[in-house]
Every structure is written in structure tokens, then in C-alpha cells.
Amino acid sequence: MKTSEWSATSPFPSGGGNTENKIRVEDCSVHDWYRFVLSFPPHLVRQYLVEFGADNSSLVLDPFCGTGTTNVECKKAGIPSWGIEASPVTYFASRTKCTWKKDTSKLLETAERIAEDAAKKIACSPALKTLSEEQNALLLKNSICPRPLSDALFLKEAIDGCETPFHDYFLLALAKHLVYSYSNLKFGPEVGVGRVKRESADIVGIWFQEMETVRRDLETFSAFSGTRADIFRGDAREIEGDAFRGKVDFVITSPPYPNEKDYSRTTRLESVALGFLKTKDDLRAVKQGFIRSNTKNVYRSDTDDSYIQGISSIKTLSDEIERRRRELGKTSGFERLYSTVVKQYFGGMARHLSNLRPYLKEGAMLAYVVGDQASYFQIPIRTSSLLGEVAESLGYRVEKVETFRKRFATATEDWLNEDVLILKYEGKNHEYLR
Ligand SMILES: C[S@@+](CC[C@H](N)C(=O)[O-])C[C@H]1O[C@@H](n2cnc3c(N)ncnc32)[C@H](O)[C@@H]1O
């Protein structure tokens, strides 16, 4: 099934001609330091900040913060925020995008030194720099040609070898251009390897130009460098953060949806090349920290489905998927897991919404951007409606569901909604599930 999720910066497709999910040119500063195909657009966040009436006395949470769009948009407006993200590379990206150093006077000078060092290493090395065999095995085949990879690894070595407060900006710029300027990857919206291979690229030059942009953005927004945007690596199903108990006014987020998308593949190249993932075990540990949304990350030990046992519509949907599988005579290991993923997904979201409650103020408003799906034998999964039911069982009230955009699913010849589910936390003394 071909459906598109969020398109990000210009290297990505427009999502079937839709413009509402594309970043606007005037919004690119800071956001564009690193985005991915799953990022939602800053103007969507802004819409709900305005609608909810957020100001500099509010606290906004994004529990699935990805590349930090919600947090960056809050910080640009002087609104304090908190973000949680399970993937190490996107956690690094959102944290770096939310750390705005005030004194940037030495940034370009340092970048220049690193660029010179990297250029020397590239010119003088008798052999190409490579990844270990185990790291290579984690990459999508042919994601990057040997020469650009080698140059990028030399640049990383130069960045790591320089003691500087700007280290993370330097590394993030490399992460961005590894994907968009040096690699063979394309996003349509699934990550794949394009036909045209980039055999070489001006790695150091492109990277240095990016540092000029970063410095300019930091100067533009220096008035808000002190606005808090605390980003943590964690699991939104088991929220930790005592300092934020009872303090969250608003949640603006886009969790994964049950769509067979392996979220770890989208960022695999930069995760591996920059050392965020070194082994198969690292990858497995990261996947286990994700909400279950595809058959490649469900495990025997999963128990999130126990959180939605009382919700009959999810059981009915899961049973229908299993019945259809039998009717169609589908027997692969993955197909057998479709009905399980659906239960584990909504169970994981129930666990999240349950454990979120102690952090919310009474009357807190929440916006969850989710897409309908039909990835499992074309049976429609109305994600926002089911998530609304889960939320209502936990003391939230569904205020409204707004359609953000529609995508045409060729397999079902049907339109699938991408919705914003607006919830209000009633703050009643609801019995916690556990
Ligand atoms: C649709 S993306 C969010 C994109 C984000 N709105 C942005 O603009 O970049 C969903 C994110 O949830 C993260 N995620 C998945 N399971 C998670 C969990 N259990 N806890 C926290 N984050 C999780 C994924 O790594 C991914 O970055």
C-alpha cells in the first residue's frame, strides 16, 4: 500500500500534491537543521498553540517529539516545553535543535578549523575509511557510496577530535547532509535507495555552509535562548520526570500509527554512521523502546494489549483482521502478527495516556496527530476514533476530531484521513489502570 506520511524539507516528495504538511519557507530556521520524513510541519503546531492559548507561563509536552518540531516552535515563541523521544539519533537532534548557545562568536572559526583538518585527512589518507562489518550490515544496501561515506567519517573524526561547545551542532549538520546531500536514499514516503548513485560529494564544503546557517539562526533567535525546552530520551509509555508532575498545560504530538512502518529504518544511515547504533543488539533495544506499530517490532514478551482489554471495538477490529487472514489463506509469520500489532499498538497508547495523567494539569488540552490506516488486508483502521475511545476510558474527553489532510490509498481506492484528535483531561480521580 502506498500512503504518504509527513513530508519534510525540500528533498522529500510533496505527499501527493498536498502542501499543508510541507514546511513553509519562512519556518525553516532551526527546524531545518535536521528533519525527517515523519516530521510534522511547524505551522500545525502553531495553530494549536494559538487555539489552546499557550503563552510563556504554559508548559507544552511532546511525548513523541521526534526531531523536536513542537519544542522548537514553542521555543521560537518563548513558550517552555518538554520533549520525550525513544530513538537515540532523533533524541540527539531534538535536544541539539533546542539548545541555543548565546555566544556564537567562535562557531564559524571553529568550523573552519575542523573543515581544514577534515580536508587534510581526506587528501592524505591512502585508504578509504569504512564502517565495521557489523555496522555495515545494519545499513540499507547501497545507501551511500564508499567515497562519500569515507569523507563523512573523516569529517566526523575531525569534529570529535576538536574540543568545542559547538560539537553537537557540527555533528547534527553532518547527520542532515549524510542523508540529503551525500547518500543515495530517497523517501517516498518509505525510505529506499534511488537509481542514481552519488559517487562523490563536496562533503566538507556543504557541511561548512550549513554551519553558516546554524550561526545565523542562533543569532536571529538569541532573545529566546533562555526559554526552556527540556528534551529527554525515554519511553512515552513509562514517563519519568518528577519535576513536571501536575505541570503540563498542553500536549501537541504525533505518535506512530499502526502502519507497518519500521521507524528505525528512516534514520538508519545517520544512526549507524555517526555511532548511535553500533550493533544488532543496539538496534533491537531501540526497537523495543518504540510503540508497537509494525510486525517487525512485536515481541513474545509484549503485554501492552492488557491495557485495552475492556475496549471491545479494538478486539473486534483485531479479530476481523485475523478472520480475513484465514479467509485469504495468508500464512507468513508477519501476516499472522497483524492482529497482534493492532492490539499492542492501542495497548501501548493506552499505557501512554494512563501514565501521562499525573503530569497533566486539570483541564489540560491535548492534540494527537494520527493517520487512518489500511495496511492489514485493507481493513480500515480509524486510528483517531479508536484512540479517542481509549482516551475516554481513561478520564479524557474527546473535544473534536479535525481532519488535517486526506491521502488517497491506491490499494483500497479510498481516502484515508490524517486527523488531529483533540482531548481534554478532565482531571477526575480516575482509577489508574495499574
Ligand atoms: C511521527 S514521529 C514524530 C515526529 C515529530 N512530530 C517531528 O516533527 O519530528 C513519531 C516519533 O515517536 C518516536 N517513538 C516511537 N515510540 C516511542 C515511545 N515509546 N516513546 C517515545 N517516542 C517514541 C519515534 O522514534 C518517532 O520519532
Side-chain angles (χ1 to χ4, degrees), residues 423-434:
L423 304 170
K424 182 172 189 171
Y425 179 53
E426 307 258 63
K428 286 186 194 134
N429 280 336
H430 252 266
E431 274 297 304
Y432 289 169
L433 278 173
R434 301 213 154 173

Side-chain angles (χ1 to χ4, degrees), residues 5-6 31 34-42 45 62-70 84-88 90-91 97 232-238 252-257 263-264 267 286-293 297 348 352 369:
E5 251 187 85
W6 306 110
H31 288 294
Y34 174 96
R35 285 168 62 75
F36 63 0
V37 71
L38 310 167
S39 301
F40 56 21
V45 174
D62 186 342
F64 301 91
C65 73
T67 61
T69 310
T70 297
I84 302 169
E85 170 57 42
S87 148
T90 36
Y91 155 69
K97 286 169 71 179
F232 294 100
R233 176 143 183 235
D235 185 338
R237 295 168 299 174
E238 280 306 317
I252 302 177
T253 194
S254 173
Y257 349 133
Y263 283 74
S264 75
T267 57
V286 167
K287 283 189 182 183
Q288 282 188 325
F290 287 166
I291 287 266
R292 306 296 182 253
S293 63
N297 85 328
H352 157 66
V369 181

Side-chain angles (χ1 to χ4, degrees), residues 25 46 75 98-99 104 131 244 335 348 374 389 398:
V25 177
R46 218 157 42 233
K75 197 167 163 100
C98 288
T99 308
T104 56
L131 294 167
F244 300 112
E335 288 158 335
E389 264 187 68
V398 174

Side-chain angles (χ1 to χ4, degrees), residues 192-212:
V193 175
R195 246 178 288 142
V196 182
K197 303 282 177 288
R198 282 190 181 110
E199 301 286 349
S200 67
D202 176 13
I203 305 281
V204 177
I206 293 171
W207 172 84
F208 185 76
Q209 257 179 22
E210 180 74 20
M211 294 330 306
E212 289 177 334

Side-chain angles (χ1 to χ4, degrees), residues 368-406:
Y368 280 73
V369 181
V370 285
D372 289 347
Q373 293 299 329
S375 308
Y376 301 134
F377 308 125
Q378 303 181 13
I379 292 177
I381 302 178
R382 305 290 175 206
T383 312
S384 55
S385 149
L386 292 167
L387 200 56
E389 264 187 68
V390 170
E392 291 205 316
S393 75
L394 292 166
Y396 298 82
R397 194 171 73 213
V398 174
E399 293 280 295
K400 58 181 172 178
V401 177
E402 291 181 322
T403 299
F404 173 54
R405 65 175 182 135
K406 285 181 181 286

